Amino acid sequence: GKIAADRVILTAGTGSPALLGRLGIDLPLLPRPGVLIRTRPVAPILRGVLCGPEGEARQLASGAVILPAAVSHQGDAAERLDERPDRLAEAALGRFGRRFAGLPLTADRIAIGWRPVPVDGLPVLDEVLPGLCMAVMHSGVTLGPLAGEALAELVEGRDPGPHWAPYRLTRLSAPRPA
């Protein structure tokens, strides 16, 4: 149903183009598939995010380790998967297994997802219509606190500052006539 609101913040990732499209606003995204692996729980090995030559990984409180199949998933420009996800996961688990010798890392879940990457690879953060703010970026976890501060400024009717100007949607497209 409908919910009345004075302000709305759209942070729907790859679903954002369809939602904005209903309002006549284009948000072009690149096709960027990604494979994410969750392991079976293991003894604590990570207290933060590990960024190394084997890629990135973090461990959940349950003991499961979460890691992308791509070594450098932030810079991964692949538009399709050229290998089966299970083989990509096996290779990623092998890389991490060598770092943690003797630790049995086995996949519990392998998921394919589409990463929200605007066509120029940079985040989009803007007020696209009066009362409608949006943020779309692949690096939402790392940029989340800064993006949240900027969105708060936009929601309150203030300019988030010149450092956010390059990330406005208008750099990518213009609203279509309704």
Side-chain angles (χ1 to χ4, degrees):
K2 292 184 180 186
I3 299 172
D6 294 331
R7 303 268 189 214
V8 174
I9 299 174
L10 177 65
T11 57
T14 57
S16 296
L19 294 169
L20 291 169
R22 295 177 65 177
L23 302 171
I25 299 170
D26 289 319
L27 172 61
L29 296 182
L30 294 169
R32 291 291 186 262
V35 175
L36 193 65
I37 304 131
R38 183 180 68 205
T39 70
R40 291 190 177 119
V42 294
I45 56 171
L46 300 172
R47 291 191 336 205
V49 176
L50 170 71
C51 296
E54 21 333 83
E56 297 176 13
R58 65 186 172 89
Q59 191 168 25
L60 304 176
S62 68
V65 176
I66 305 291
L67 58 138
V71 172
S72 177
H73 74 99
Q74 291 287 351
D76 179 16
E79 293 188 1
R80 66 183 195 286
L81 297 176
D82 291 329
E83 275 193 75
R84 289 183 3 205
D86 60 328
R87 289 189 179 150
L88 293 169
E90 184 179 317
L93 291 170
R95 288 191 305 273
F96 280 94
R98 286 187 290 280
R99 176 177 272 272
F100 301 105
L103 188 66
L105 289 178
T106 55
D108 182 44
R109 183 169 186 247
I110 301 168
I112 300 172
W114 292 91
R115 296 171 285 169
V117 181
V119 293
D120 62 359
L122 299 174
V124 175
L125 191 136
D126 205 353
E127 182 174 29
V128 293
L129 292 172
L132 177 60
C133 299
M134 53 94 54
V136 174
M137 60 198 74
H138 177 236
S139 49
V141 170
T142 53
L143 291 178
L146 287 173
E149 286 181 12
L151 282 169
E153 296 291 325
L154 288 172
V155 165
E156 293 175 356
R158 296 190 301 267
D159 187 331
H163 54 281
W164 283 105
Y167 305 105
R168 300 239 183 235
L169 179 61
T170 52
R171 77 177 193 273
L172 302 176
S173 64
R176 298 185 306 236

